[in-house]
């Protein structure tokens, strides 16, 4: 299963790289998905990095409920993360 998650995460990361600075709503969801995949692979730091990006983009777009939900995900996995608090 890990191999499938590796492939999926590589594909999502590639899509995000190709999007570059032009991030739309679908890309925000991809950051969340990439975080989920990284978690399944046991890479909490990488997952939190993706989640933080999603949180920032949701907040900037005015989607505060989504940002709060992502923040809760981050704190579930790294409860001492001061920046998220």
């Amino acid at each position: 299963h890990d191999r499938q998650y590796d492939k999926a995460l590589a594909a999502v990361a590639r899509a995000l790289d190709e999007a570059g600075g032009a991030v739309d709503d679908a890309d925000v969801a991809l950051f969340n998905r990439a975080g989920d995949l990284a978690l399944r692979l046991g890479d909490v730091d990488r997952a939190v990095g993706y989640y933080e990006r999603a949180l920032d983009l949701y907040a900037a777009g005015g989607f505060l409920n989504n940002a709060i939900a992502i923040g809760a995900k981050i704190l579930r996995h790294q409860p001492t993360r001061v920046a998220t608090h």
Side-chain angles (χ1 to χ4, degrees), residues 1-14 37 41:
H1 292 313
D2 283 353
R3 186 168 161 81
Q4 290 174 333
Y5 292 131
D6 273 336
K7 286 182 180 179
L9 182 55
V12 171
R14 203 169 30 256
L37 290 167
L41 291 167

Side-chain angles (χ1 to χ4, degrees), residues 11-77:
V12 171
R14 203 169 30 256
L16 290 170
D17 287 343
E18 289 171 5
V23 178
D24 60 23
D25 292 342
D27 294 330
V28 178
L30 280 179
F31 281 111
N32 186 27
R33 183 70 181 136
D36 291 346
L37 290 167
L39 269 184
R40 289 188 177 263
L41 291 167
D43 192 344
V44 174
D45 289 336
R46 187 173 182 188
V48 167
Y50 284 123
Y51 290 148
E52 284 181 330
R53 189 75 195 277
L55 185 153
D56 290 342
L57 291 168
Y58 277 134
F63 299 101
L64 300 183
N65 288 337
N66 296 45
I68 290 168
I70 296 291
K73 258 187 185 181
I74 292 169
L75 293 175
R76 199 168 29 252
H77 299 287

